[in-house]
Amino acid sequence: MRFRHPDGSTVHLAYCTNVHPAETLDGVIAQLRDHAEPVRRRLGRDRLGIGLWLAHPAAEALVADRRRLDQLRGELDRRGLEVVTLNGFPYQGFGDERVKYRVYRPDWTEPERLRHTVRLAELLAELLPEDVTEGTVSTLPLAWRTDFDAERLAVAHGQLRALAQELDALEARTGRRIRIGLEPEPGCTVETTAQAVAALRAPGAPPVDRVGMCLDTCHLATAFEDPAAAVALLDEARVPVHKVQLSAALHSARPHEPHERAALERFVEPRFLHQTRVAAPGGVRGADDLDLALAGEHALATDGPWRVHLHVPLHAELEPPLTSTLQVLRETLGHLLGGPRARTHHLEVETYTWQALPEGLRPTDADELADGIAAELVVARDLLTDLGLKEQP
């Protein structure tokens, strides 16, 4: 979906296909038919943007055989779909029964991460619509925090500088400009906006015009960051927001209450990591997963509200007393797109947790999933039009 900002620029809205567990190229093509096109039809649009997730095996298949790349482009065109952004965070295995910490490997200290991201950039340059010359790829924020030291940071910066050189060469060959966005996430070495600025503006960091920010509004909310302060900090540091992932976290105002804890327990599940944070008088503290926050030797304090890294559908009406952080998303969009100048142009709804939600929120079949994704995009569309953007045909 495309929107015209009051400054005359185009803002792209997509939904991320990492909600569909396809690891192979044939699986990716099937998901376009079975999921993405039905979402487009529900919205009554001739064209729908998707934030394509290409697992490592699918990306390698496309690089190895130009005919398969042509096949993918043909499928996108035939089904009224377009791609201006890729989700390069999960490497592979995102649809496995247990993902947890594995999603952070390989990290930016490992050559496989550089190779994969270069491949994604090359593929995106080929997949961009004919009238679009700029694309984005989101990626993990360097690494999980454990054992990350100055030496590993230097290695990561070196790989990102090499990536920037590859992107320069790609633009020279193709005329397509691909930018990378580091996506701060709770528990990683880059968790907050301030840490992102420090990493991206440190000596040895790559040029921010090539490697800047991907701002995920669920992660921002989970860290109890203020959207206005976060955007102001990025502006002051001149760190561009190449991409925004529109998502909402789970919020518990009174985690000490038994009935509220019982409601939170319904969201404990074995597949994904659900980092949990408390805004306590002494500052923000956290646990690596919701089950760890609720029980055990290191249970999280309950002297303030909790937020959980669990992408709640944007339109979902949660069972009281739990709520979502949709307001943080709304405020973030206001600061990025509500003024006279658009500070970002690529937006991606990224609720990948549909099948990990409790019964009642979890779709029972492909039709219900398509209904839910379409409803999320309607919420995002309405937020944008409320800011004065005009939906384009």
Side-chain angles (χ1 to χ4, degrees), residues 13-14 215-222 225-228 231 244-249 307 310-316 324-338 344 347-351 375-387:
L13 171 64
L215 191 58
D216 186 302
T217 58
C218 171
H219 303 170
L220 189 78
T222 301
E225 289 200 67
D226 174 65
V231 174
V244 179
Q245 288 179 323
L246 308 182
S247 54
R307 286 182 179 170
L310 195 155
H311 291 215
V312 178
L314 302 187
H315 67 291
S324 83
T325 61
L326 183 62
Q327 181 59 29
V328 174
L329 188 163
R330 181 180 290 109
E331 292 176 14
T332 303
L333 279 181
H335 293 297
L336 291 171
L337 294 172
T344 192
L347 310 176
E348 177 184 76
V349 173
E350 199 217 5
T351 304
E376 286 196 289
L377 287 166
V378 168
V379 170
R381 180 197 66 194
D382 292 347
L383 290 175
L384 294 174
T385 56
D386 287 347
L387 291 172

Side-chain angles (χ1 to χ4, degrees), residues 223-224 277-286 300-305:
F224 286 93
R277 298 293 182 265
V278 58
V284 177
R285 301 193 299 276
L300 197 58
T302 57
D303 50 349

Side-chain angles (χ1 to χ4, degrees), residues 5 27 61 92 96 102 105 157 177 207 219 253 333 342 348 371:
H5 190 273
Q92 64 184 37
D96 291 351
R102 289 193 296 108
R105 301 293 303 274
H157 275 158
R177 189 170 186 80
H219 303 170
L333 279 181
E348 177 184 76
D371 290 342

Side-chain angles (χ1 to χ4, degrees), residues 231-242:
V231 174
L233 180 60
L234 292 170
D235 282 350
E236 180 182 359
R238 297 185 179 180
V239 172
V241 180
H242 294 325

